């Protein structure tokens, strides 16, 4: 993974266990750090003699903010999150990889955009909302954000500022609110969504699309409520911050075919486009596309190697592959139909495969 040194030019504490850090991008790295709302960066650091790589969503909006910003919440005993929140400060330099990710996809017309977040899951939502408002294409936005207490709400001023626009409706949902709290109580769960979705739909009349970010359990519950309410799976996008997703596949692998499918059979050559480089490798039987490329030390973006971090999202531009079914936790069938895959979950099924890590 290629990283670049970016100076920290600002820091703000966001409540008891979170902080935002602003990172300046020098002019000569502007194209390496161009991004879409909702994308994330990977940060590499060494702690206790171990090299650690962690992903953080950009909480800045590409059209509106000069510097990049990440917003980090400490997890208990979390090494990198604690370091970023407690120790890193203005004047330090972080090793940062180019933005990646496919959480937000531009819409082809006005939609009712449901942003459902919990805890640090707010980070990609704020730029998505700000970018949509900047675009001014007639979307309605409902932003429901779950936390424990008023003090634990991250980026509260920015979320509340969104509600100043008549097309935006914001609800803070608190699970441990004090007596004075007059907003919704509890969690963004089945009951909350069953009660809210019909009213929200009536308010806008636009076709809905939902973005979910927070703990897996929260997203599973929210997704099933949205499906029951009538949204299609391709209208529900999820960004997972959790580390463990991929235990066993309970479904067979999913075939993915590029626009130019080529001849099926044992793969003789994988060609990977990364930046201006094109790397070639002959895969070993049963090897994933990512493993084959790492074996020849290709500088491809990756981290978890098990389908949880989204770093290795890439596009099959020639040939075919089969992808472990857990990919559907991150990508949707319509993404796969476009040839998008996670390289760490994909095995080639054609004699030649070309995969592009930048065309996402
Ligand atoms: C695409 C993507 C975007 C992300 N964006 C953000 C973001 O914007 N803001 C943010 O704060 N985090 C974000 N994360 C999570 C972040 O990458 C790290 O996983 C998190 O900061 C924990 O790393 P750590 O080194 O502090 O914890 P570690 O030292 O790796 O873990 C220490 C302990 O915490 C547990 N743990 C680790 N990670 C988590 C987790 N995510 N949730 C619950 N328990 C955990 C471990 O099981 C372990 O017990 C994102 C993750 C991904 C994949
Ligand atoms: S390397 Fe993390 S999803 Fe593939």
């Amino acid at each position: 993974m290629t990283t670049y040194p970016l100076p920290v030019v600002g820091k703000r504490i966001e409540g008891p266990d979170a902080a935002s850090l602003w990172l300046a991008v020098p002019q000569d790295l502007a194209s390496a750090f161009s991004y879409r709302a909702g994308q994330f960066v990977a940060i590499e650091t060494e702690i206790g003699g171990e090299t650690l790589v962690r992903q953080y969503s950009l909480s800045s909006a590409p059209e509106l903010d000069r510097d990049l910003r990440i917003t980090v919440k400490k997890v208990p005993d979390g090494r990198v999150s604690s370091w970023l929140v407690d120790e890193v400060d203005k004047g330090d330099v972080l090793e940062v990889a180019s933005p990646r990710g496919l959480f937000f996809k531009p819409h082809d017309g006005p939609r009712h955009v449901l942003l459902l977040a919990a805890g640090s899951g707010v980070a990609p939502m704020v730029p998505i909302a700000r970018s949509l408002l900047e675009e001014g294409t007639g979307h309605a936005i409902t932003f429901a954000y779950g936390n424990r207490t008023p003090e634990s709400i991250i980026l509260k001023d920015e979320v509340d500022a969104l509600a100043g626009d008549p097309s935006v409706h914001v609800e803070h949902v608190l699970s441990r609110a004090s007596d004075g709290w007059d907003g919704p109580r509890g969690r963004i769960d089945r009951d909350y969504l069953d009660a809210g979705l019909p009213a929200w739909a009536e308010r806008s009349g636009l076709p809905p699309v939902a973005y979910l970010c927070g703990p897996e359990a929260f997203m599973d519950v929210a997704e099933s409520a949205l499906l029951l309410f009538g949204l299609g799976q391709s209208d529900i996008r999820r960004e997972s911050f959790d580390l463990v997703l991929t235990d066993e596949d309970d479904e067979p692998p999913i075939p993915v075919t590029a626009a130019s499918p080529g001849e099926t059979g044992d793969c003789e050559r994988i060609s990977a486009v990364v930046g201006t480089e094109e790397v070639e490798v002959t895969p070993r039987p049963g090897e994933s596309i990512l493993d084959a490329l790492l074996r020849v030390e290709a500088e491809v973006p990756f981290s978890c190697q098990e389908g949880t971090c989204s770093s290795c999202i890439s596009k099959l531009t020639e040939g075919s592959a089969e992808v472990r079914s857990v990919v559907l936790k991150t990508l949707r069938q319509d993404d796969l139909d476009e040839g998008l895959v996670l390289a760490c979950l994909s095995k080639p099924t054609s004699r030649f495969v070309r995969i592009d890590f930048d065309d996402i």
Side-chain angles (χ1 to χ4, degrees), residues 3-30:
T3 60
Y4 305 90
L6 297 187
V8 178
V9 291
K11 180 172 187 178
R12 185 174 70 200
I13 300 302
E14 308 277 4
D17 54 3
S20 289
L21 296 168
W22 280 262
L23 306 167
V25 177
Q27 194 54 42
D28 60 326
L29 292 179

Coordinates of all heavy atoms in Angstrom, one line a residue, residues 3-30:
T3 N 1.6 5.0 0.8 CA 1.1 6.1 1.7 C 1.9 7.4 1.4 O 3.0 7.3 0.9 CB 1.2 5.7 3.2 OG1 2.6 5.5 3.5 CG2 0.4 4.5 3.5
Y4 N 1.3 8.5 1.8 CA 1.9 9.8 1.6 C 1.9 10.5 2.9 O 1.0 10.4 3.7 CB 1.1 10.6 0.6 CG 0.9 9.9 -0.7 CD1 -0.2 9.1 -0.9 CD2 1.9 10.1 -1.8 CE1 -0.4 8.5 -2.2 CE2 1.7 9.4 -3.0 CZ 0.6 8.6 -3.2 OH 0.4 8.0 -4.4
P5 N 3.0 11.3 3.2 CA 3.0 12.0 4.5 C 2.1 13.3 4.4 O 2.3 14.1 3.6 CB 4.5 12.4 4.7 CG 5.1 12.4 3.3 CD 4.2 11.5 2.4
L6 N 1.1 13.3 5.3 CA 0.2 14.5 5.3 C 0.3 15.2 6.7 O 0.1 14.5 7.7 CB -1.2 14.2 5.0 CG -1.6 13.6 3.7 CD1 -3.1 13.4 3.5 CD2 -1.0 14.4 2.5
P7 N 0.6 16.5 6.7 CA 0.7 17.2 8.0 C -0.7 17.4 8.6 O -1.7 17.7 7.9 CB 1.3 18.5 7.7 CG 1.0 18.7 6.2 CD 0.9 17.4 5.6
V8 N -0.8 17.2 10.0 CA -2.0 17.5 10.7 C -2.0 19.0 10.9 O -1.1 19.6 11.5 CB -2.0 16.8 12.1 CG1 -3.3 17.1 12.9 CG2 -1.9 15.3 11.8
V9 N -3.1 19.7 10.4 CA -3.1 21.1 10.5 C -4.2 21.6 11.5 O -4.3 22.8 11.7 CB -3.3 21.8 9.1 CG1 -2.0 21.6 8.3 CG2 -4.5 21.3 8.4
G10 N -4.9 20.7 12.1 CA -5.9 21.1 13.1 C -6.4 19.9 13.8 O -6.4 18.8 13.3
K11 N -6.9 20.2 15.0 CA -7.5 19.1 15.9 C -8.6 19.7 16.7 O -8.5 20.8 17.2 CB -6.4 18.5 16.8 CG -7.0 17.4 17.7 CD -5.9 16.6 18.4 CE -6.4 15.4 19.1 NZ -5.4 14.7 19.9
R12 N -9.7 18.9 16.8 CA -10.8 19.4 17.7 C -11.3 18.2 18.5 O -11.6 17.1 17.9 CB -12.0 19.9 16.8 CG -13.1 20.5 17.6 CD -14.1 21.2 16.7 NE -14.9 20.3 16.0 CZ -15.6 20.6 14.9 NH1 -15.6 21.8 14.4 NH2 -16.3 19.6 14.2
I13 N -11.4 18.3 19.8 CA -12.0 17.3 20.6 C -13.5 17.2 20.4 O -14.2 18.3 20.4 CB -11.7 17.5 22.1 CG1 -10.1 17.6 22.3 CG2 -12.3 16.4 23.0 CD1 -9.4 16.3 21.8
E14 N -14.0 16.0 20.1 CA -15.5 15.9 19.9 C -16.1 15.1 21.0 O -16.4 13.9 20.8 CB -15.7 15.1 18.5 CG -14.9 15.7 17.3 CD -15.6 16.8 16.7 OE1 -16.7 17.3 17.2 OE2 -15.1 17.3 15.7
G15 N -16.2 15.7 22.2 CA -16.8 14.9 23.3 C -15.8 14.1 24.0 O -14.6 14.3 23.8
P16 N -16.3 13.2 24.9 CA -15.3 12.5 25.8 C -14.3 11.6 25.2 O -13.2 11.4 25.7 CB -16.3 11.8 26.8 CG -17.6 11.7 26.1 CD -17.7 12.8 25.1
D17 N -14.6 11.0 24.0 CA -13.7 10.0 23.5 C -13.5 10.0 22.0 O -13.3 9.0 21.4 CB -14.1 8.6 24.0 CG -15.6 8.3 23.6 OD1 -16.2 9.2 22.9 OD2 -16.1 7.2 23.9
A18 N -13.7 11.2 21.4 CA -13.5 11.3 20.0 C -12.8 12.6 19.6 O -12.8 13.6 20.4 CB -14.9 11.3 19.3
A19 N -12.2 12.7 18.4 CA -11.6 13.9 18.0 C -11.6 13.9 16.4 O -11.7 12.9 15.8 CB -10.1 13.9 18.4
S20 N -11.6 15.1 15.9 CA -11.4 15.3 14.5 C -10.0 15.9 14.2 O -9.5 16.6 15.0 CB -12.4 16.4 13.9 OG -13.7 15.8 13.9
L21 N -9.4 15.4 13.1 CA -8.1 15.8 12.7 C -8.2 16.3 11.3 O -8.7 15.7 10.4 CB -7.1 14.7 12.8 CG -6.8 14.1 14.2 CD1 -6.0 12.8 14.0 CD2 -6.0 15.1 15.0
W22 N -7.6 17.5 11.0 CA -7.5 18.1 9.7 C -6.2 17.8 9.1 O -5.1 18.0 9.8 CB -7.8 19.6 9.7 CG -9.2 19.9 9.8 CD1 -10.1 20.3 8.8 CD2 -10.0 20.0 11.0 NE1 -11.3 20.6 9.3 CE2 -11.3 20.4 10.6 CE3 -9.8 19.8 12.4 CZ2 -12.4 20.6 11.5 CZ3 -10.8 19.9 13.3 CH2 -12.1 20.3 12.9
L23 N -6.1 17.3 7.8 CA -4.9 17.0 7.2 C -4.8 17.8 5.9 O -5.7 17.9 5.1 CB -4.9 15.5 6.8 CG -5.2 14.5 7.9 CD1 -5.5 13.1 7.3 CD2 -4.0 14.5 8.9
A24 N -3.6 18.5 5.7 CA -3.4 19.3 4.5 C -2.8 18.5 3.4 O -2.0 17.6 3.7 CB -2.5 20.5 4.8
V25 N -3.3 18.7 2.2 CA -2.8 18.0 1.0 C -2.0 18.9 0.2 O -2.5 19.9 -0.3 CB -4.0 17.4 0.2 CG1 -3.5 16.7 -1.1 CG2 -4.9 16.5 1.0
P26 N -0.7 18.6 0.1 CA 0.2 19.5 -0.8 C -0.3 19.5 -2.2 O -0.9 18.5 -2.7 CB 1.6 18.9 -0.7 CG 1.5 17.8 0.3 CD 0.1 17.5 0.6
Q27 N 0.0 20.6 -2.9 CA -0.5 20.7 -4.3 C -0.1 19.5 -5.2 O -0.9 19.0 -6.0 CB 0.1 22.0 -4.9 CG -0.6 22.5 -6.2 CD -2.1 22.6 -6.0 OE1 -2.6 23.1 -5.0 NE2 -2.8 22.1 -7.1
D28 N 1.1 19.0 -5.0 CA 1.6 17.9 -5.9 C 0.9 16.6 -5.6 O 1.0 15.6 -6.3 CB 3.1 17.8 -5.9 CG 3.6 17.4 -4.5 OD1 3.0 17.9 -3.5 OD2 4.5 16.7 -4.3
L29 N 0.1 16.5 -4.5 CA -0.6 15.3 -4.2 C -2.1 15.4 -4.4 O -2.9 14.6 -4.0 CB -0.4 14.8 -2.7 CG 1.0 14.4 -2.4 CD1 1.2 14.0 -1.0 CD2 1.4 13.2 -3.3
A30 N -2.5 16.6 -5.0 CA -4.0 16.9 -5.1 C -4.7 15.8 -5.8 O -5.8 15.4 -5.4 CB -4.2 18.2 -5.8

